Amino acid sequence: MKLHIGIIRGDGIGPEIVAEAVKVLEIIGTVFGHELQYEELLLGGASIDAYGIPLTEETVHCAKQCDALLMGSIGGNAKTSPWYKLEPSKRPEAGLLGIRKALNLFANLRPAVLYGELKEACPLKEEITAGGFDLMIMRELTGGLYFGARATQMEDGELTAHDTLTYHAYEIRRIAHRAFEVAQKRRKKVTSVDKANVLDSSRLWRNIVEEVAVAYPDVTLEHMLVDNCAMQLVKDPKQFDVILTENMFGDILSDEASMITGSIGMLASASLNETKFGLYEPSGGSAPDIAGKGIANPIATILSAALMLRFSFDLDREAAAIEHAVERVLQKGYRTIDIMSEGKEQVSTRKMGDLICDEISQIRQQSFE
Ligand code: NAD
């Protein structure tokens, strides 16, 4: 298969971690017989340095020609970087918001995986996390409270503020379809999270999700109120497969879910639109405090590349090969500094990438059939 991938190396640790993910993709291409073609795109601080703005029309145009984008994080140190002397609309983060909007990336996927090997990084009790867990939060990214009308004004001599939470049926329908499709590639369960006992937007959410579910009889659907979901995530995270929810609930629940997995350096993410196109990136930022030191954990970016193979290219075996290789390297006791613990061997960013590539090159294709 021919894979046309846009590469956004980004700022800070971005270039270091993306280099390892590209190395892993190359090995996948060799082992499984795919041809990878890359376009280098500039975004964020790197684009400001080159063109004075964080996102150019050229980058948007090139991104649209690609099948998927793989990105390192963007941004710098807000206190010391000259990028933050610019007005907010010209800063690195504006580039990221701009490209998400230009590509209509409305569905944010955040896997929260606790590897048995890293269970000491999890703050939950051992009896809850024994054997690890693997869930996926799917958050609506372009609607809801964060995008509704808001204002602060005087009312009867009192300062009064309001925000508006609006969802259109089409916005719910399109993300529900993506959630069921994602569940079909996993353990076939969707937990739709809302506040339907109080909010009209949640009642509409629930109705539309029910409607969409009919097209996916192989997937089990359950509904859960958001307050209960927040509790269940720390009480019994293993019960979840795909959690589907609106923007603000997803914002909060995905941070809660990432906290119970341990290091930010392990957390992949994807933002999808209605086509197979997606933007894949680590959940963490550009970590300017460790940039250039060769110690950043590349695993989140490597796992983001695995998500890209699974969701943009339907290459499930190849994605599983990467995930399996990561697990094997952790089982063998190799760690970057952020996940280091006693008795393990600390390795650099590059060495971690090499170890994962070595595991993949030992994999025979049929083990994933
Ligand atoms: P951060 O995630 O960059 O760093 C927080 C802490 O986690 C730091 O101590 C860092 O060293 C560590 N860390 C993060 N990723 C790591 C990795 N792969 N390996 C090892 N350690 C890792 O958050 P921050 O410091 O608040 O933000 C730094 C910059 O990143 C800011 O400019 C921010 O706007 C930007 N940012 C970008 C994105 C994105 O590109 N999507 C997301 C979040 C933050």
mmCIF file of all heavy atoms in Angstrom, residues 23-63:
data_model
loop_
_atom_site.group_PDB
_atom_site.id
_atom_site.type_symbol
_atom_site.label_atom_id
_atom_site.label_comp_id
_atom_site.label_asym_id
_atom_site.label_seq_id
_atom_site.Cartn_x
_atom_site.Cartn_y
_atom_site.Cartn_z
ATOM 1 N N LYS A 23 11.117 6.502 11.987
ATOM 2 C CA LYS A 23 11.970 5.311 11.918
ATOM 3 C C LYS A 23 11.117 4.040 12.050
ATOM 4 O O LYS A 23 11.287 3.074 11.310
ATOM 5 C CB LYS A 23 12.958 5.380 13.084
ATOM 6 C CG LYS A 23 14.352 4.986 12.758
ATOM 7 C CD LYS A 23 15.363 5.606 13.713
ATOM 8 C CE LYS A 23 15.354 4.992 15.083
ATOM 9 N NZ LYS A 23 16.319 5.614 16.003
ATOM 10 N N VAL A 24 10.181 4.084 12.990
ATOM 11 C CA VAL A 24 9.302 2.932 13.212
ATOM 12 C C VAL A 24 8.415 2.700 11.981
ATOM 13 O O VAL A 24 8.240 1.565 11.537
ATOM 14 C CB VAL A 24 8.459 3.146 14.497
ATOM 15 C CG1 VAL A 24 7.325 2.138 14.583
ATOM 16 C CG2 VAL A 24 9.350 3.056 15.734
ATOM 17 N N LEU A 25 7.889 3.777 11.399
ATOM 18 C CA LEU A 25 7.059 3.622 10.196
ATOM 19 C C LEU A 25 7.855 3.007 9.052
ATOM 20 O O LEU A 25 7.344 2.190 8.278
ATOM 21 C CB LEU A 25 6.484 4.983 9.772
ATOM 22 C CG LEU A 25 5.332 5.515 10.626
ATOM 23 C CD1 LEU A 25 4.998 6.952 10.232
ATOM 24 C CD2 LEU A 25 4.091 4.621 10.487
ATOM 25 N N GLU A 26 9.112 3.411 8.941
ATOM 26 C CA GLU A 26 9.972 2.858 7.888
ATOM 27 C C GLU A 26 10.134 1.353 8.035
ATOM 28 O O GLU A 26 10.054 0.612 7.057
ATOM 29 C CB GLU A 26 11.357 3.543 7.935
ATOM 30 C CG GLU A 26 11.353 4.921 7.308
ATOM 31 C CD GLU A 26 10.978 4.855 5.836
ATOM 32 O OE1 GLU A 26 11.680 4.180 5.068
ATOM 33 O OE2 GLU A 26 9.955 5.462 5.445
ATOM 34 N N ILE A 27 10.352 0.906 9.268
ATOM 35 C CA ILE A 27 10.510 -0.543 9.517
ATOM 36 C C ILE A 27 9.201 -1.263 9.181
ATOM 37 O O ILE A 27 9.201 -2.334 8.570
ATOM 38 C CB ILE A 27 10.886 -0.800 11.001
ATOM 39 C CG1 ILE A 27 12.313 -0.336 11.261
ATOM 40 C CG2 ILE A 27 10.735 -2.271 11.379
ATOM 41 C CD1 ILE A 27 13.376 -1.266 10.680
ATOM 42 N N ILE A 28 8.082 -0.652 9.556
ATOM 43 C CA ILE A 28 6.779 -1.255 9.238
ATOM 44 C C ILE A 28 6.647 -1.400 7.718
ATOM 45 O O ILE A 28 6.221 -2.435 7.214
ATOM 46 C CB ILE A 28 5.621 -0.384 9.811
ATOM 47 C CG1 ILE A 28 5.564 -0.503 11.339
ATOM 48 C CG2 ILE A 28 4.288 -0.720 9.171
ATOM 49 C CD1 ILE A 28 5.023 -1.831 11.862
ATOM 50 N N GLY A 29 7.052 -0.354 6.996
ATOM 51 C CA GLY A 29 6.990 -0.396 5.533
ATOM 52 C C GLY A 29 7.807 -1.549 4.989
ATOM 53 O O GLY A 29 7.366 -2.279 4.094
ATOM 54 N N THR A 30 9.009 -1.737 5.543
ATOM 55 C CA THR A 30 9.891 -2.811 5.069
ATOM 56 C C THR A 30 9.312 -4.182 5.402
ATOM 57 O O THR A 30 9.238 -5.063 4.540
ATOM 58 C CB THR A 30 11.285 -2.675 5.748
ATOM 59 O OG1 THR A 30 11.734 -1.338 5.563
ATOM 60 C CG2 THR A 30 12.289 -3.642 5.173
ATOM 61 N N VAL A 31 8.868 -4.355 6.654
ATOM 62 C CA VAL A 31 8.399 -5.682 7.095
ATOM 63 C C VAL A 31 7.094 -6.078 6.400
ATOM 64 O O VAL A 31 6.908 -7.221 6.001
ATOM 65 C CB VAL A 31 8.224 -5.698 8.642
ATOM 66 C CG1 VAL A 31 7.538 -6.986 9.100
ATOM 67 C CG2 VAL A 31 9.562 -5.543 9.334
ATOM 68 N N PHE A 32 6.192 -5.094 6.234
ATOM 69 C CA PHE A 32 4.861 -5.424 5.710
ATOM 70 C C PHE A 32 4.679 -5.041 4.236
ATOM 71 O O PHE A 32 3.578 -5.169 3.699
ATOM 72 C CB PHE A 32 3.775 -4.741 6.552
ATOM 73 C CG PHE A 32 3.656 -5.299 7.947
ATOM 74 C CD1 PHE A 32 4.411 -4.777 8.990
ATOM 75 C CD2 PHE A 32 2.792 -6.344 8.228
ATOM 76 C CE1 PHE A 32 4.306 -5.287 10.283
ATOM 77 C CE2 PHE A 32 2.678 -6.864 9.508
ATOM 78 C CZ PHE A 32 3.434 -6.330 10.541
ATOM 79 N N GLY A 33 5.744 -4.492 3.642
ATOM 80 C CA GLY A 33 5.691 -4.190 2.213
ATOM 81 C C GLY A 33 4.825 -2.992 1.838
ATOM 82 O O GLY A 33 3.991 -3.098 0.942
ATOM 83 N N HIS A 34 5.001 -1.874 2.520
ATOM 84 C CA HIS A 34 4.282 -0.637 2.145
ATOM 85 C C HIS A 34 5.271 0.425 1.699
ATOM 86 O O HIS A 34 6.401 0.472 2.177
ATOM 87 C CB HIS A 34 3.492 -0.092 3.343
ATOM 88 C CG HIS A 34 2.493 -1.062 3.875
ATOM 89 N ND1 HIS A 34 1.442 -1.517 3.118
ATOM 90 C CD2 HIS A 34 2.395 -1.679 5.078
ATOM 91 C CE1 HIS A 34 0.729 -2.374 3.835
ATOM 92 N NE2 HIS A 34 1.284 -2.495 5.023
ATOM 93 N N GLU A 35 4.772 1.309 0.832
ATOM 94 C CA GLU A 35 5.631 2.401 0.376
ATOM 95 C C GLU A 35 5.205 3.692 1.070
ATOM 96 O O GLU A 35 4.050 4.114 0.939
ATOM 97 C CB GLU A 35 5.468 2.546 -1.145
ATOM 98 C CG GLU A 35 6.487 3.445 -1.768
ATOM 99 C CD GLU A 35 6.129 3.726 -3.223
ATOM 100 O OE1 GLU A 35 5.647 2.788 -3.910
ATOM 101 O OE2 GLU A 35 6.292 4.877 -3.640
ATOM 102 N N LEU A 36 6.134 4.279 1.812
ATOM 103 C CA LEU A 36 5.792 5.503 2.544
ATOM 104 C C LEU A 36 6.378 6.719 1.861
ATOM 105 O O LEU A 36 7.560 6.732 1.491
ATOM 106 C CB LEU A 36 6.305 5.411 3.984
ATOM 107 C CG LEU A 36 5.542 4.388 4.807
ATOM 108 C CD1 LEU A 36 6.362 3.160 5.057
ATOM 109 C CD2 LEU A 36 5.077 4.981 6.109
ATOM 110 N N GLN A 37 5.511 7.719 1.714
ATOM 111 C CA GLN A 37 5.966 8.958 1.082
ATOM 112 C C GLN A 37 5.640 10.102 2.043
ATOM 113 O O GLN A 37 4.527 10.158 2.583
ATOM 114 C CB GLN A 37 5.187 9.122 -0.224
ATOM 115 C CG GLN A 37 5.671 10.224 -1.102
ATOM 116 C CD GLN A 37 4.650 10.518 -2.207
ATOM 117 O OE1 GLN A 37 3.788 9.699 -2.522
ATOM 118 N NE2 GLN A 37 4.741 11.705 -2.760
ATOM 119 N N TYR A 38 6.610 10.982 2.292
ATOM 120 C CA TYR A 38 6.411 12.014 3.318
ATOM 121 C C TYR A 38 6.412 13.416 2.711
ATOM 122 O O TYR A 38 7.129 13.687 1.753
ATOM 123 C CB TYR A 38 7.537 11.953 4.364
ATOM 124 C CG TYR A 38 7.722 10.587 4.986
ATOM 125 C CD1 TYR A 38 8.790 9.781 4.615
ATOM 126 C CD2 TYR A 38 6.828 10.103 5.932
ATOM 127 C CE1 TYR A 38 8.964 8.526 5.161
ATOM 128 C CE2 TYR A 38 6.992 8.851 6.484
ATOM 129 C CZ TYR A 38 8.061 8.061 6.090
ATOM 130 O OH TYR A 38 8.225 6.814 6.634
ATOM 131 N N GLU A 39 5.608 14.284 3.330
ATOM 132 C CA GLU A 39 5.682 15.726 3.032
ATOM 133 C C GLU A 39 6.055 16.411 4.330
ATOM 134 O O GLU A 39 5.410 16.175 5.352
ATOM 135 C CB GLU A 39 4.310 16.288 2.624
ATOM 136 C CG GLU A 39 3.650 15.679 1.442
ATOM 137 C CD GLU A 39 4.382 15.924 0.142
ATOM 138 O OE1 GLU A 39 5.112 16.926 0.049
ATOM 139 O OE2 GLU A 39 4.237 15.093 -0.754
ATOM 140 N N GLU A 40 7.065 17.249 4.300
ATOM 141 C CA GLU A 40 7.449 17.977 5.519
ATOM 142 C C GLU A 40 6.636 19.266 5.594
ATOM 143 O O GLU A 40 6.656 20.068 4.655
ATOM 144 C CB GLU A 40 8.944 18.321 5.482
ATOM 145 C CG GLU A 40 9.857 17.108 5.494
ATOM 146 C CD GLU A 40 10.014 16.469 6.893
ATOM 147 O OE1 GLU A 40 9.724 17.138 7.897
ATOM 148 O OE2 GLU A 40 10.430 15.294 6.948
ATOM 149 N N LEU A 41 5.897 19.450 6.697
ATOM 150 C CA LEU A 41 5.065 20.645 6.847
ATOM 151 C C LEU A 41 5.513 21.429 8.073
ATOM 152 O O LEU A 41 5.905 20.842 9.080
ATOM 153 C CB LEU A 41 3.596 20.255 7.029
ATOM 154 C CG LEU A 41 2.974 19.299 6.006
ATOM 155 C CD1 LEU A 41 1.527 19.021 6.352
ATOM 156 C CD2 LEU A 41 3.055 19.900 4.628
ATOM 157 N N LEU A 42 5.408 22.759 7.985
ATOM 158 C CA LEU A 42 5.786 23.582 9.137
ATOM 159 C C LEU A 42 4.533 24.099 9.843
ATOM 160 O O LEU A 42 3.564 24.512 9.211
ATOM 161 C CB LEU A 42 6.634 24.778 8.692
ATOM 162 C CG LEU A 42 8.050 24.471 8.206
ATOM 163 C CD1 LEU A 42 8.790 25.768 7.876
ATOM 164 C CD2 LEU A 42 8.848 23.659 9.223
ATOM 165 N N LEU A 43 4.587 24.073 11.174
ATOM 166 C CA LEU A 43 3.451 24.553 11.982
ATOM 167 C C LEU A 43 4.018 25.079 13.292
ATOM 168 O O LEU A 43 5.079 24.633 13.744
ATOM 169 C CB LEU A 43 2.498 23.377 12.265
ATOM 170 C CG LEU A 43 1.206 23.713 13.017
ATOM 171 C CD1 LEU A 43 0.213 24.407 12.088
ATOM 172 C CD2 LEU A 43 0.537 22.443 13.567
ATOM 173 N N GLY A 44 3.288 25.994 13.911
ATOM 174 C CA GLY A 44 3.684 26.467 15.240
ATOM 175 C C GLY A 44 4.928 27.326 15.201
ATOM 176 O O GLY A 44 5.137 28.137 14.287
ATOM 177 N N GLY A 45 5.795 27.144 16.199
ATOM 178 C CA GLY A 45 6.998 27.973 16.320
ATOM 179 C C GLY A 45 7.890 27.868 15.094
ATOM 180 O O GLY A 45 8.431 28.882 14.622
ATOM 181 N N ALA A 46 8.051 26.671 14.566
ATOM 182 C CA ALA A 46 8.922 26.481 13.391
ATOM 183 C C ALA A 46 8.405 27.296 12.203
ATOM 184 O O ALA A 46 9.189 27.844 11.425
ATOM 185 C CB ALA A 46 8.980 24.997 13.027
ATOM 186 N N SER A 47 7.078 27.408 12.095
ATOM 187 C CA SER A 47 6.493 28.184 10.998
ATOM 188 C C SER A 47 6.674 29.692 11.257
ATOM 189 O O SER A 47 6.923 30.459 10.321
ATOM 190 C CB SER A 47 5.004 27.828 10.862
ATOM 191 O OG SER A 47 4.392 28.638 9.902
ATOM 192 N N ILE A 48 6.571 30.083 12.525
ATOM 193 C CA ILE A 48 6.803 31.502 12.862
ATOM 194 C C ILE A 48 8.231 31.887 12.487
ATOM 195 O O ILE A 48 8.478 32.932 11.884
ATOM 196 C CB ILE A 48 6.561 31.754 14.379
ATOM 197 C CG1 ILE A 48 5.103 31.486 14.743
ATOM 198 C CG2 ILE A 48 6.963 33.190 14.758
ATOM 199 C CD1 ILE A 48 4.795 31.544 16.236
ATOM 200 N N ASP A 49 9.188 31.017 12.829
ATOM 201 C CA ASP A 49 10.590 31.307 12.514
ATOM 202 C C ASP A 49 10.802 31.445 11.003
ATOM 203 O O ASP A 49 11.563 32.288 10.548
ATOM 204 C CB ASP A 49 11.506 30.198 13.052
ATOM 205 C CG ASP A 49 11.600 30.246 14.578
ATOM 206 O OD1 ASP A 49 11.193 31.266 15.165
ATOM 207 O OD2 ASP A 49 12.067 29.252 15.174
ATOM 208 N N ALA A 50 10.100 30.612 10.229
ATOM 209 C CA ALA A 50 10.320 30.621 8.778
ATOM 210 C C ALA A 50 9.496 31.694 8.074
ATOM 211 O O ALA A 50 9.976 32.344 7.141
ATOM 212 C CB ALA A 50 9.989 29.247 8.200
ATOM 213 N N TYR A 51 8.226 31.884 8.511
ATOM 214 C CA TYR A 51 7.303 32.754 7.746
ATOM 215 C C TYR A 51 6.659 33.865 8.573
ATOM 216 O O TYR A 51 5.870 34.642 8.045
ATOM 217 C CB TYR A 51 6.176 31.903 7.136
ATOM 218 C CG TYR A 51 6.657 30.768 6.282
ATOM 219 C CD1 TYR A 51 6.466 29.445 6.688
ATOM 220 C CD2 TYR A 51 7.302 31.018 5.065
ATOM 221 C CE1 TYR A 51 6.919 28.391 5.902
ATOM 222 C CE2 TYR A 51 7.752 29.961 4.282
ATOM 223 C CZ TYR A 51 7.559 28.661 4.702
ATOM 224 O OH TYR A 51 8.000 27.626 3.939
ATOM 225 N N GLY A 52 6.914 33.892 9.867
ATOM 226 C CA GLY A 52 6.345 34.954 10.707
ATOM 227 C C GLY A 52 4.940 34.645 11.203
ATOM 228 O O GLY A 52 4.375 35.390 12.001
ATOM 229 N N ILE A 53 4.340 33.564 10.734
ATOM 230 C CA ILE A 53 3.000 33.153 11.201
ATOM 231 C C ILE A 53 2.988 31.652 11.507
ATOM 232 O O ILE A 53 3.754 30.887 10.921
ATOM 233 C CB ILE A 53 1.878 33.497 10.178
ATOM 234 C CG1 ILE A 53 2.234 32.964 8.771
ATOM 235 C CG2 ILE A 53 1.589 34.978 10.145
ATOM 236 C CD1 ILE A 53 1.100 33.095 7.759
ATOM 237 N N PRO A 54 2.097 31.235 12.459
ATOM 238 C CA PRO A 54 2.163 29.823 12.898
ATOM 239 C C PRO A 54 1.546 28.817 11.931
ATOM 240 O O PRO A 54 1.760 27.616 12.087
ATOM 241 C CB PRO A 54 1.385 29.843 14.218
ATOM 242 C CG PRO A 54 0.455 31.004 14.102
ATOM 243 C CD PRO A 54 1.149 32.027 13.266
ATOM 244 N N LEU A 55 0.769 29.307 10.962
ATOM 245 C CA LEU A 55 0.159 28.386 9.993
ATOM 246 C C LEU A 55 -0.004 29.122 8.670
ATOM 247 O O LEU A 55 -0.641 30.178 8.615
ATOM 248 C CB LEU A 55 -1.231 27.928 10.504
ATOM 249 C CG LEU A 55 -2.059 27.080 9.545
ATOM 250 C CD1 LEU A 55 -1.399 25.729 9.277
ATOM 251 C CD2 LEU A 55 -3.469 26.842 10.118
ATOM 252 N N THR A 56 0.566 28.557 7.615
ATOM 253 C CA THR A 56 0.447 29.203 6.305
ATOM 254 C C THR A 56 -0.593 28.471 5.453
ATOM 255 O O THR A 56 -0.914 27.312 5.725
ATOM 256 C CB THR A 56 1.798 29.151 5.545
ATOM 257 O OG1 THR A 56 2.143 27.784 5.363
ATOM 258 C CG2 THR A 56 2.893 29.875 6.304
ATOM 259 N N GLU A 57 -1.072 29.151 4.431
ATOM 260 C CA GLU A 57 -2.020 28.508 3.508
ATOM 261 C C GLU A 57 -1.369 27.325 2.814
ATOM 262 O O GLU A 57 -2.008 26.315 2.520
ATOM 263 C CB GLU A 57 -2.523 29.517 2.481
ATOM 264 C CG GLU A 57 -3.646 30.352 3.067
ATOM 265 C CD GLU A 57 -4.162 31.404 2.109
ATOM 266 O OE1 GLU A 57 -3.940 31.274 0.885
ATOM 267 O OE2 GLU A 57 -4.781 32.354 2.610
ATOM 268 N N GLU A 58 -0.058 27.461 2.587
ATOM 269 C CA GLU A 58 0.705 26.388 1.938
ATOM 270 C C GLU A 58 0.648 25.108 2.797
ATOM 271 O O GLU A 58 0.432 24.004 2.278
ATOM 272 C CB GLU A 58 2.159 26.884 1.769
ATOM 273 C CG GLU A 58 3.165 25.843 1.359
ATOM 274 C CD GLU A 58 3.039 25.440 -0.112
ATOM 275 O OE1 GLU A 58 2.204 26.037 -0.808
ATOM 276 O OE2 GLU A 58 3.747 24.494 -0.507
ATOM 277 N N THR A 59 0.798 25.273 4.125
ATOM 278 C CA THR A 59 0.746 24.102 5.018
ATOM 279 C C THR A 59 -0.636 23.461 4.961
ATOM 280 O O THR A 59 -0.766 22.242 4.858
ATOM 281 C CB THR A 59 1.116 24.510 6.466
ATOM 282 O OG1 THR A 59 2.513 24.810 6.499
ATOM 283 C CG2 THR A 59 0.824 23.405 7.463
ATOM 284 N N VAL A 60 -1.686 24.284 4.981
ATOM 285 C CA VAL A 60 -3.056 23.744 4.923
ATOM 286 C C VAL A 60 -3.256 23.019 3.587
ATOM 287 O O VAL A 60 -3.774 21.898 3.545
ATOM 288 C CB VAL A 60 -4.106 24.868 5.096
ATOM 289 C CG1 VAL A 60 -5.514 24.331 4.855
ATOM 290 C CG2 VAL A 60 -3.999 25.495 6.486
ATOM 291 N N HIS A 61 -2.802 23.644 2.527
ATOM 292 C CA HIS A 61 -2.965 23.047 1.193
ATOM 293 C C HIS A 61 -2.260 21.689 1.121
ATOM 294 O O HIS A 61 -2.836 20.690 0.684
ATOM 295 C CB HIS A 61 -2.413 24.007 0.131
ATOM 296 C CG HIS A 61 -2.446 23.444 -1.242
ATOM 297 N ND1 HIS A 61 -3.604 23.350 -1.969
ATOM 298 C CD2 HIS A 61 -1.460 22.896 -2.009
ATOM 299 C CE1 HIS A 61 -3.344 22.777 -3.129
ATOM 300 N NE2 HIS A 61 -2.051 22.493 -3.172
ATOM 301 N N CYS A 62 -0.982 21.667 1.579
ATOM 302 C CA CYS A 62 -0.202 20.408 1.538
ATOM 303 C C CYS A 62 -0.848 19.353 2.433
ATOM 304 O O CYS A 62 -0.905 18.179 2.062
ATOM 305 C CB CYS A 62 1.218 20.638 2.044
ATOM 306 S SG CYS A 62 2.269 21.354 0.834
ATOM 307 N N ALA A 63 -1.343 19.780 3.620
ATOM 308 C CA ALA A 63 -1.948 18.828 4.560
ATOM 309 C C ALA A 63 -3.139 18.147 3.902
ATOM 310 O O ALA A 63 -3.352 16.944 4.060
ATOM 311 C CB ALA A 63 -2.372 19.546 5.838
#
